Amino acid sequence: MVFFLHVLILLTYLFKRDKYDPVLQWLIKGLFKIMFIRVKREGLENVDKNAVYVVMGNHVSMFDIPLLFGYIPVRFNGIEASEHFKSPLYGFALKRYGNIPINRKNARESFKAILQGAEMVKKGRSIVILPEGTRTLKPRMGEFKKFPFILAKKAGAPILPFGFSGLWKINNKTSWHINPGKVIMKFGEPIPAEVVREKSVEELMELTREKISALISEP
């Protein structure tokens, strides 16, 4: 991971984003192979590579973000907890990549991050935000936060749901151990922008949770 982060930072100085993203994906896929973690993608027919989405899914492991970087078929930036950006190496790599920090303990700062993310979507870049806000302590989804759905409504973009299956057994918040195994990353049909605009935040939370739950093949 340290080697990978150094390479990522170097690439951001040498090339434009559309040039180094394929290299980044290749490196991440190699990293998972080295760890004997097999990754299978399903539902790719539901993803338009040229569309702009607010991407949401379950938050299981410290590998969630690397998996998204390596295997999601659209170009995107992420919204991550501000404490991630305090790490000297990892945090600097996130800044160079263009991810957005969100201070979950400060409502005003959180709202600023949401507005920034919505503006990025309007400019043509997909955003990934995990609605649980933090990794779950159990092998099932936790409660959803409202801010991701406020972002989706302000952005006026479709929500692309995905679900990780098998990842809890490989690594989760209760342990630093990494176990070889298989991860399934399944994409569902997007929630159309019209539905996102019409539904209330609460209705959108419920609908998205149902969509993501249906993509997970484990409790």
Side-chain angles (χ1 to χ4, degrees), residues 4-120:
F4 165 76
L5 291 171
H6 277 95
V7 171
L8 168 58
I9 292 169
L10 179 62
L11 289 173
T12 64
Y13 282 106
L14 296 177
F15 303 102
K16 292 183 178 180
R17 176 74 180 270
D18 60 343
K19 296 295 183 182
Y20 70 74
D21 262 350
V23 179
L24 176 62
Q25 292 180 339
W26 180 81
L27 285 171
I28 290 175
K29 290 175 180 177
L31 180 65
F32 281 103
K33 287 181 180 179
I34 290 171
M35 294 187 291
F36 299 101
I37 298 173
R38 293 171 292 127
V39 182
K40 180 182 179 182
R41 293 186 296 181
E42 297 181 355
L44 290 176
E45 67 277 5
N46 294 317
V47 185
D48 180 353
K49 294 181 180 180
N50 298 312
V52 179
Y53 301 105
V54 176
V55 185
M56 299 190 190
N58 55 326
H59 198 359
V60 182
S61 166
M62 64 180 179
F63 290 133
D64 292 356
I65 303 303
L67 281 166
L68 288 165
F69 280 146
Y71 293 92
I72 195 169
V74 296
R75 301 291 168 83
F76 71 93
N77 282 96
I79 296 183
E80 295 191 49
S82 57
E83 50 263 35
H84 293 180
F85 291 76
K86 295 177 182 178
S87 170
L89 183 60
Y90 182 58
F92 186 62
L94 292 177
K95 290 176 184 177
R96 290 295 305 167
Y97 194 75
N99 282 11
I100 300 170
I102 183 169
N103 185 347
R104 296 173 296 185
K105 297 178 181 179
N106 186 307
R108 180 176 294 181
E109 292 298 318
S110 294
F111 192 66
K112 286 182 181 179
I114 293 304
L115 293 178
Q116 189 177 349
E119 189 61 28
M120 189 175 286

Side-chain angles (χ1 to χ4, degrees), residues 203-216:
E203 290 171 335
L204 197 55
M205 286 174 62
E206 183 177 351
L207 175 60
T208 306
R209 189 180 184 88
E210 290 174 359
K211 291 273 188 179
I212 295 172
S213 295
L215 301 170
I216 303 171

Side-chain angles (χ1 to χ4, degrees), residues 31-39 63 165-172 176-184:
L31 180 65
F32 281 103
K33 287 181 180 179
I34 290 171
M35 294 187 291
F36 299 101
I37 298 173
R38 293 171 292 127
V39 182
F63 290 133
S165 299
L167 190 52
W168 174 267
K169 295 178 181 179
I170 290 171
N171 173 262
N172 59 72
W176 284 99
H177 292 164
I178 300 171
N179 303 301
K182 180 179 179 181
V183 176
I184 297 176

Side-chain angles (χ1 to χ4, degrees), residues 108-215:
R108 180 176 294 181
E109 292 298 318
S110 294
F111 192 66
K112 286 182 181 179
I114 293 304
L115 293 178
Q116 189 177 349
E119 189 61 28
M120 189 175 286
V121 173
K122 290 177 182 178
K123 291 180 178 179
R125 175 74 68 179
S126 293
I127 281 286
V128 171
I129 183 166
L130 305 177
E132 292 166 275
T134 187
R135 290 172 291 165
T136 179
L137 291 171
K138 299 179 180 179
R140 59 177 182 270
M141 282 194 296
E143 295 296 321
F144 280 9
K145 310 297 183 185
K146 289 186 177 181
F147 275 127
F149 302 95
I150 295 173
L151 184 157
K153 290 183 69 64
K154 287 190 174 295
I159 294 175
L160 176 64
F162 73 87
F164 286 126
S165 299
L167 190 52
W168 174 267
K169 295 178 181 179
I170 290 171
N171 173 262
N172 59 72
K173 196 174 182 178
T174 65
S175 173
W176 284 99
H177 292 164
I178 300 171
N179 303 301
K182 180 179 179 181
V183 176
I184 297 176
M185 184 179 185
K186 187 172 184 179
F187 298 94
E189 292 184 5
I191 300 172
E194 297 78 14
V195 175
V196 173
R197 288 192 291 266
E198 291 171 1
K199 287 189 175 295
S200 68
V201 169
E202 290 74 17
E203 290 171 335
L204 197 55
M205 286 174 62
E206 183 177 351
L207 175 60
T208 306
R209 189 180 184 88
E210 290 174 359
K211 291 273 188 179
I212 295 172
S213 295
L215 301 170

